[in-house]
């Protein structure tokens, strides 16, 4: 190879440091916080979270949970900052959901999501940082006897048309990986 694309970037990513120190051509899908100049492309996860909150508030939702990426990844910082700012500016309530993240196995996300939606103070809106994780959320909602689009709305990112076909009640934002490439 005469170049490489690195994904799942971390704030201090050893791969970026290595490639930079060895002069090997690379780009990242995602940013770092290392103070090193390098080519990157990123989805605006801060704005995604803000717009997702706006969509849920427009649907009358007031208690919102975020299913974010792992805290080890840089885009977690962007998504959670946008979420926190949106919650604060809209004067709504966060339903904490820090036991799960989008990178976990789908069965584990589902198990944590069931616990989330069965709380006394359950969310009436959930933002999902990935389309595949949204499948687990919808399953948890339905298995708990709740109705998507009535009891709980979900906004999710997705990179294929599969999520659009899964449940029409989902609010979907496209993240085009082909365009990123």
């Amino acid at each position: 190879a005469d170049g490489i694309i690195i994904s799942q970037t971390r704030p201090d990513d050893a791969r970026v440091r290595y490639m930079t120190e060895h002069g090997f051509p690379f780009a990242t899908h995602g940013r770092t916080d290392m103070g090193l100049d390098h080519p990157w492309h990123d989805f605006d996860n801060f704005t995604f979270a803000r717009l997702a909150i706006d969509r849920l508030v427009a649907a009358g939702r007031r208690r919102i949970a975020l299913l974010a990426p792992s805290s080890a990844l840089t885009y977690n910082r962007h998504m959670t900052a946008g979420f926190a700012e949106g919650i604060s500016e809209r004067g709504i309530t966060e339903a904490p959901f820090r036991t799960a993240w989008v990178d976990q196995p789908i069965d584990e996300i589902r198990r944590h999501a069931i616990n989330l939606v069965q709380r006394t103070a359950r969310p009436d809106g959930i933002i999902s940082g990935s389309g595949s994780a949204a499948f687990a959320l919808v399953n948890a909602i339905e298995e708990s006897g709740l109705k998507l689009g009535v009891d709980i709305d979900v906004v999710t990112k997705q990179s294929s048309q599969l999520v659009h076909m899964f449940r029409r009640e989902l609010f979907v934002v496209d993240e085009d990986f082909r365009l990123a490439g």
Side-chain angles (χ1 to χ4, degrees), residues 67-85:
L67 179 56
S70 165
S71 61
L73 301 174
T74 308
Y75 82 108
N76 170 282
R77 293 180 183 186
H78 304 147
M79 191 177 293
T80 57
F83 179 77
E85 187 172 295

Side-chain angles (χ1 to χ4, degrees), residues 30-167:
R31 291 171 267 179
T32 63
D33 287 332
M34 303 171 65
L36 297 175
D37 281 336
H38 63 84
W40 57 269
H41 174 83
D42 203 2
F43 182 82
D44 188 346
N45 288 287
F46 181 92
T47 300
F48 162 71
R50 292 290 313 280
L51 293 175
I53 286 176
D54 290 347
R55 180 64 186 98
L56 291 169
V57 168
R61 304 310 183 181
R62 306 290 304 159
R63 185 169 175 75
I64 301 174
L66 174 65
L67 179 56
S70 165
S71 61
L73 301 174
T74 308
Y75 82 108
N76 170 282
R77 293 180 183 186
H78 304 147
M79 191 177 293
T80 57
F83 179 77
E85 187 172 295
I87 290 285
S88 175
E89 286 185 0
R90 292 302 211 136
I92 57 176
T93 304
E94 175 186 1
F97 189 36
R98 294 180 186 88
T99 57
W101 51 90
V102 299
D103 309 294
Q104 289 176 315
I106 199 161
D107 288 338
E108 196 167 333
I109 296 170
R110 179 185 172 278
R111 183 173 50 81
H112 289 293
I114 287 172
N115 290 335
L116 173 72
V117 301
Q118 290 181 348
R119 290 181 192 162
T120 303
R122 69 169 168 78
D124 56 8
I126 304 173
I127 300 169
S128 175
S130 98
S132 60
F135 288 95
L137 292 172
V138 170
N139 183 265
I141 290 165
E142 293 173 351
E143 287 293 316
S144 296
L146 301 168
K147 186 158 174 57
L148 180 67
V150 175
D151 300 305
I152 300 176
D153 279 312
V154 175
V155 177
T156 184
K157 290 192 324 182
Q158 64 94 36
S159 58
S160 75
Q161 294 303 309
L162 186 59
V163 178
H164 284 291
M165 291 185 259
F166 175 59
R167 292 289 187 280

